[in-house]
Amino acid sequence: MSNKSIPLRPHHGMCLRYFQGQGYSQAFTGHMTRIQALLTAEAMVTLTAGTDAICAACPHNREGLCADREKVSRYDQGVLDLCGLRAGDTLAYGAFAALVEERILSPGRRGEICGDCRWGDLCGGTGK
């Protein structure tokens, strides 16, 4: 994967910031840990509106489509809007993570995007 960009759903930019090794299953958390390790600051990511590298091990991934696609599409669009990005944009993961931190997480706007996420308590509650 080092010469190619890694497909990444925009909302996963927030999930990765707070990931603590908890998730749907051991297989999922192990997979997310491996993807997180690949996402160095220099790694190139392509923001996608579909399933991505992390979704591959998610139990909600139904043959390449998210079972919760309306909700996660809303999350993705919220991240894109606040970061001034579009689906299909390719950039360094470090630059993307910095935008997410600066425009969403530091100002406490995470809850506006994914306040109804079941994992919100891991991210410091619904507001931050």
Side-chain angles (χ1 to χ4, degrees), residues 24-117:
Y24 302 108
S25 66
Q26 276 190 320
F28 176 81
T29 57
H31 177 75
M32 188 150 172
T33 299
R34 288 187 293 280
I35 297 299
Q36 188 174 43
L38 292 174
L39 293 171
T40 63
E42 302 81 26
M44 298 303 289
V45 296
T46 298
L47 303 176
T48 181
T51 54
D52 67 1
I54 291 171
C55 298
C58 181
H60 296 281
N61 182 351
R62 305 282 196 263
E63 298 177 8
L65 294 174
C66 181
D68 292 328
R69 64 185 157 272
E70 286 183 33
K71 180 171 71 172
V72 296
S73 291
R74 178 172 38 90
Y75 295 174
D76 288 337
Q77 194 59 54
V79 171
L80 292 171
D81 290 347
L82 289 177
C83 290
L85 298 167
R86 288 191 266 179
D89 285 350
T90 298
L91 67 162
Y93 177 71
F96 175 59
L99 280 171
V100 169
E101 184 68 38
E102 173 189 313
R103 297 188 183 177
I104 299 170
L105 303 178
S106 288
R109 299 188 75 183
R110 188 194 61 77
E112 294 172 33
I113 296 171
C114 58
D116 59 346
C117 175

